[in-house]
Amino acid sequence: MRAGVGETFLRALLLSAALGIAVGWGGAQVLRWSALRGWSSPTWWPYTTLAVAAIAYVLCVAAEGSGFIGAWAAGLAFGHRMRRAASGRQPRADSPDPPRSTEFSERLGLLLASLSFLVFGAVILGPVLANLTCVWSPTR
């Protein structure tokens, strides 16, 4: 059975965004909860952000929604929850530090974005540059 435009829209935007926000908020809560109890090491906090995005992506794809929108919404909710929790109280030595928790994933995201621009540029400009001829010639 084929889904209509409305159902596809609802799954892609609304369901994926709702799942992503729920996973991101829940992931931030789990990280804070486990860190305050001493169950997680600061070394592993950066990987939690990647795990939250991956879980949101898989859940959204399994629900036939948009994995990209779900992962994006999860990252947004995770970052918002971590920053809001950190700004509302005095930081403790064992509480997760939002900039340290997200630094690795932000740098990885920057690297992957740069690589995608490189690949798309090569795909688009490759054929154009192959057929490029010089029409200007200097005359004396």
Side-chain angles (χ1 to χ4, degrees):
M1 186 164 121
R2 266 185 104 167
V5 173
E7 184 180 349
T8 302
F9 175 77
L10 289 175
R11 283 188 185 195
L13 287 180
L14 299 180
L15 178 65
S16 299
L19 282 172
I21 289 170
V23 169
W25 188 86
Q29 286 297 106
V30 168
L31 175 62
R32 290 184 63 244
W33 184 67
S34 65
L36 290 174
R37 284 162 181 71
W39 294 349
S40 65
S41 167
T43 307
W44 291 99
W45 293 343
Y47 303 110
T48 306
T49 59
L50 292 176
V52 165
I55 290 168
Y57 182 87
V58 169
L59 282 176
C60 290
V61 169
E64 296 181 7
S66 171
F68 175 78
I69 292 173
W72 183 83
L76 185 68
F78 183 88
H80 176 72
R81 182 67 186 133
M82 291 298 290
R83 284 182 179 88
R84 186 167 179 219
S87 66
R89 59 179 167 71
Q90 210 45 302
R92 292 177 30 178
D94 59 349
S95 66
D97 180 25
R100 278 189 32 212
S101 299
T102 59
E103 182 179 354
F104 173 74
S105 58
E106 286 177 2
R107 289 185 180 184
L108 181 62
L110 182 61
L111 174 67
L112 293 175
S114 300
L115 287 175
S116 68
F117 280 122
L118 178 71
V119 168
F120 286 132
V123 168
I124 292 171
L125 285 179
V128 173
L129 293 177
N131 297 326
L132 188 64
T133 59
C134 182
V135 293
W136 177 78
S137 61
T139 57
R140 291 183 192 216

